Amino acid sequence: MKTFEELYQEIMEQELKNGRSLSEQYDNYPMDCLLHPKDYAPVIPVGSCDTCEGEGSCQKSCVFDAIKKIDGRIYIDPQKCTGCGVCVDVCKMGHLIENREIYPVLEALCDRSREVYALIAPAFAGQYGKDAGAGQLRAAFKKIGFTGMVEVAAFADILTLKEALEFDRHVVEQGDFQLTSCCCPVWIAMIRDIYQDLVGHVPGAVSPMVAAGRVVKQLHPNAVTVFIGPCMAKKSEVADQKIPGNADYVLTYSEIRAIMKARNVALEPCANDDQIASVYGKRFANSGGVTAAVLQSLKESGHEIDAKICRANGAADCKKALLLLKAARLPEDFVEGMICDGG
């Protein structure tokens, strides 16, 4: 069976042989984004921005300086863009959209020589309703073509123990502090790219997504791993394939819903008896979720700590907390950042 890209090239060649030429206005950019999403940033521009109703609000909103405007067109640097989505929200013309990895994932699912595993984010209950269980999703994903499904929340539970141990080890005297929330790639990027002096206060832990992918690839070395969650920024995290065991692709919930709709697959009632993660692991990506999990872990192990907590909720809160830390004016010693309001 030919791939979508091969069919596209074949049709183009046939049309050119038949004497049909491409319009001078033809733009191959949208098709190339669809076929090769990893060559582009998590956010891609569509349409002309010759006249901007927002007066360059997308550029002004980007704290990573990833957006440039040249000859009326917006260019987004894939090396700088973290996929935080702020520019998408402020663009009044709707000319910035989420990049999509549907095509390469479908191609992987059609390749029966490789196993493909879904890594489902802890937020699935909030997306599919409180009655939706992991068993229902696993059954639906298998109908789509996935080999199996792994709950990332279980790895959030494991990483909670590491975060707790790191705090107990490194925060021992006045002035010590720890920056946490390994599940938010934009928070980590903000520290790494803008507040480099604080990098040493971030525990050396990968995100639950990466941890889940590593285990799958340890057990199934040739498997393809696809993280499925609500966060577009995860696309920037998987773009860094230098991280051993990183997921191969990321689909947002809107993308997986589109695939399910196209395949006419719906969630069906089934036994919901395979819950393997704690409530705290499932709430890991909520604002304050990592902190709650760490405190509960220490409580259950008999090592309660007198931590002074700062829960930075949203980009403005995160920036304020980091500025205060840099100036040694933040009294808290356990600082969690989540760029999305509410997580």
Side-chain angles (χ1 to χ4, degrees):
M1 181 184 294
K2 293 181 179 179
T3 67
F4 180 75
E5 184 171 8
E6 289 170 340
L7 288 171
Y8 170 71
Q9 293 296 337
E10 185 177 297
I11 291 170
M12 291 289 288
E13 290 170 6
Q14 288 177 356
E15 291 299 307
L16 290 171
K17 286 179 182 178
N18 292 334
R20 183 177 296 183
S21 60
L22 294 174
S23 164
E24 291 183 3
Q25 285 77 39
Y26 176 75
D27 185 1
N28 191 50
Y29 175 78
M31 181 62 70
D32 204 51
C33 287
L34 178 66
L35 296 176
H36 309 108
K38 287 191 178 296
D39 293 342
Y40 299 92
V43 175
I44 55 174
V46 292
S48 172
C49 293
D50 281 326
T51 57
C52 176
E53 296 176 8
E55 300 180 348
S57 56
C58 61
Q59 290 174 273
K60 296 173 185 176
S61 71
C62 184
V63 299
F64 298 98
D65 193 31
I67 305 175
K68 304 295 182 187
K69 186 176 181 180
I70 304 173
D71 297 329
R73 293 196 62 169
I74 291 294
Y75 293 88
I76 301 178
D77 188 340
Q79 301 302 316
K80 294 182 178 180
C81 177
T82 62
C84 67
V86 174
C87 60
V88 177
D89 293 336
V90 301
C91 179
K92 295 181 179 180
M93 301 175 71
H95 284 180
L96 295 174
I97 63 172
E98 168 195 330
N99 195 358
R100 298 184 177 276
E101 299 187 6
I102 289 179
Y103 169 69
V105 171
L106 287 176
E107 195 171 38
L109 291 173
C110 290
D111 182 1
R112 296 302 180 185
S113 67
R114 300 187 69 182
E115 296 176 302
V116 185
Y117 284 88
L119 313 177
I120 188 73
F124 71 82
Q127 294 290 323
Y128 291 96
K130 61 183 179 63
D131 295 327
Q136 291 173 288
L137 286 170
R138 184 173 288 106
F141 290 165
K142 284 187 175 181
K143 288 181 180 179
I144 292 171
F146 285 96
T147 308
M149 185 194 86
V150 176
E151 267 197 84
V152 174
F155 296 89
D157 283 333
I158 295 169
L159 287 167
T160 292
L161 298 174
K162 188 178 190 309
E163 294 269 350
L165 289 171
E166 292 278 0
F167 184 91
D168 198 42
R169 184 181 303 158
H170 295 122
V171 181
V172 294
E173 58 185 42
Q174 185 72 26
D176 290 341
F177 62 89
Q178 180 169 312
L179 297 167
T180 189
S181 196
C182 55
C183 61
C184 180
V186 185
W187 165 252
I188 298 300
M190 185 179 280
I191 298 168
R192 183 190 64 224
D193 298 341
I194 303 175
Y195 303 95
Q196 296 95 333
D197 295 346
L198 302 176
V199 168
H201 298 276
V202 179
V206 296
S207 69
M209 174 188 77
V210 174
R214 283 182 176 177
V215 170
V216 170
K217 293 194 176 189
Q218 182 69 30
L219 298 173
H220 309 278
N222 296 318
V224 175
T225 51
V226 182
F227 178 78
I228 300 171
C231 181
M232 177 172 56
K234 285 294 187 181
K235 293 178 185 286
S236 68
E237 187 177 352
V238 300
D240 186 0
Q241 285 298 311
K242 293 178 182 177
I243 301 174
N246 202 352
D248 295 299
Y249 301 105
V250 167
L251 296 179
T252 58
Y253 283 119
S254 63
E255 289 175 277
I256 195 65
R257 282 196 183 97
I259 294 175
M260 290 173 68
K261 184 177 181 181
R263 294 294 304 273
N264 196 29
V265 172
L267 298 184
E268 297 179 358
C270 71
N272 192 23
D273 54 3
D274 57 352
Q275 299 292 325
I276 60 173
S278 73
V279 171
Y280 292 92
K282 292 178 183 294
R283 295 175 180 171
F284 208 67
N286 291 358
S287 181
V290 176
T291 301
V294 168
L295 294 179
Q296 179 65 22
S297 174
L298 289 166
K299 181 181 178 180
E300 291 180 3
S301 64
H303 292 86
E304 287 190 75
I305 56 175
D306 183 25
K308 296 182 284 292
I309 308 299
C310 171
R311 298 177 178 89
N313 180 30
D317 258 11
C318 288
K319 185 176 181 180
K320 179 181 177 182
L322 293 173
L323 283 170
L324 289 172
L325 275 174
K326 196 169 183 179
R329 292 175 53 199
L330 191 75
E332 289 85 359
D333 54 19
F334 193 73
V335 185
E336 175 182 351
M338 191 66 68
I339 297 297
C340 294
D341 288 318

